[in-house]
Each structure stands twice: as C-alpha cells, then as structure tokens.
Amino acid sequence: MNTTPDLPPHPGDTNASGAPTEDILDDVHYTLFQASGGKRFINYLIDWVAFSLIWQFLFARLIGELLVLINFPIDNTAALYSFSYLSYFTFFGVLLGGVEAATGGKTLGKLVTQTRAINDDGSRLKPGKAFLRYLVRLVPFEAFSALGSPSYPWHDRWTGTLVIDENLTTLPPQP
C-alpha cells in the first residue's frame, strides 16, 4: 500500500472547515538587541572623523570661494562665524541623514561596528525619520543623554528609533 506523508499546510491554505491555516512564521519571534554604549561611541567617533575630513578637504574650500564670490562681509567676524556654523551643521545633517536614509540606517561608523538605526518596530528607517534624528542631535546637551547603559539618547527616544547590534538581532524580512 502506497501512502504519502502528511505535509504541513502552506500559508494561505484553508483547513477542512474553510478557515485559514496559521502561517508558519506566526510563531517566529523577532528580538531587537540595542547596540552597546561603547559601539555607539565608536560610531560617533568614526562618523565625526570621516565628516570632518570631508568638510576640511572638500567643502570648506568651496564655502570660502562662495563667500568671496557673493561678496560676503568677511570683515564681520560674528556674521562669518554664524555662517560657518550654520553651513557646517546643515551639511553634516544632510550628509548624515542622507547616508542613513539611503543605506537603511547605516553610516560609516555603523558599518564598521555592525550596527544599524531602525524604527522601534524593527522596520527600515525612512529619509524623514533619519533627518529628524539629526535635528534632535542639535538640541543642547543631547550628547549627554547617550551616557549610561543601555544607551538610549534623545535622538532615538524622541523619534521612535533604535540602534541595534546586527550580530545579535533577528529582524523580520523587509519588503
């Protein structure tokens, strides 16, 4: 007598009563492990050094030439400092937010330490949320909110994001 083994139902199949069967992934639990404060500090240092080098060798010269081109009052020290700081922080925000948005929450520092910024629910970081994370970083003394263990700074708390350790975390499949 030839018998076939009972195979588990496929997702979307219905049982004898016509009710849908459970999806095999319903029992899978996804766990998010926050990155340690040490890894986050290394991320910060690597990103800051990389950005500073880019700024120093590429964009500071272009900004200086732009100031001369538009006849900016270079003898006005307060205006020059204000313009310099504003352009520095704007460029840093666009670069950092843009890189995080384009790579799904990665920066150079996060690539090295194998961490990633994600939404609290485990979903991929969107461009608006990545830029909002940067804007919160401009709040005075925000860097001190990263001290402690676990490290959960304001730019994560206020935007509903999280930096995870990719080696320890199991994420749901992303669309």
Side-chain angles (χ1 to χ4, degrees), residues 35 72 80 103 170:
F72 191 83
L80 187 59
T103 60
T170 312

Side-chain angles (χ1 to χ4, degrees), residues 6-147:
D6 290 334
L7 298 174
H10 293 303
D13 286 351
T14 57
N15 58 19
S17 67
T21 57
E22 290 186 28
D23 189 345
I24 194 168
L25 295 177
D26 286 344
D27 292 333
V28 176
H29 297 284
Y30 300 104
T31 309
L32 303 176
F33 286 94
Q34 277 188 284
S36 67
K39 280 190 173 187
R40 294 193 68 155
F41 184 66
I42 292 169
N43 293 346
Y44 171 76
L45 287 178
I46 292 171
D47 291 341
W48 182 78
V49 167
F51 173 76
S52 294
L53 290 173
I54 291 170
W55 177 260
Q56 180 99 18
F57 292 112
L58 295 177
F59 291 99
R61 178 172 297 224
L62 291 174
I63 295 293
E65 290 175 9
L66 177 68
L67 292 177
V68 170
L69 184 66
I70 64 171
N71 294 326
F72 191 83
I74 295 177
D75 56 338
N76 185 343
T77 307
L80 187 59
Y81 278 129
S82 298
F83 183 80
S84 296
Y85 284 121
L86 182 62
S87 60
Y88 179 86
F89 287 120
T90 301
F91 179 72
F92 186 64
V94 169
L95 183 69
L96 190 64
V99 167
E100 273 192 346
T103 60
K106 289 275 208 182
T107 60
L108 182 60
K110 290 180 182 82
L111 184 66
V112 169
T113 61
Q114 295 181 332
T115 57
R116 175 184 299 273
I118 60 169
N119 291 315
D120 281 342
D121 63 359
S123 62
R124 190 178 178 101
L125 206 61
K126 301 285 187 216
K129 186 82 65 122
F131 189 68
L132 188 60
R133 281 171 49 87
Y134 170 72
L135 289 178
V136 174
R137 286 185 181 110
L138 295 178
V139 172
F141 307 108
E142 190 276 337
F144 295 112
S145 70
L147 298 175

Side-chain angles (χ1 to χ4, degrees), residues 31-36 162-170:
T31 309
L32 303 176
F33 286 94
Q34 277 188 284
S36 67
L162 184 67
V163 175
I164 57 160
D165 190 325
E166 291 183 309
N167 293 329
L168 303 173
T169 299
T170 312

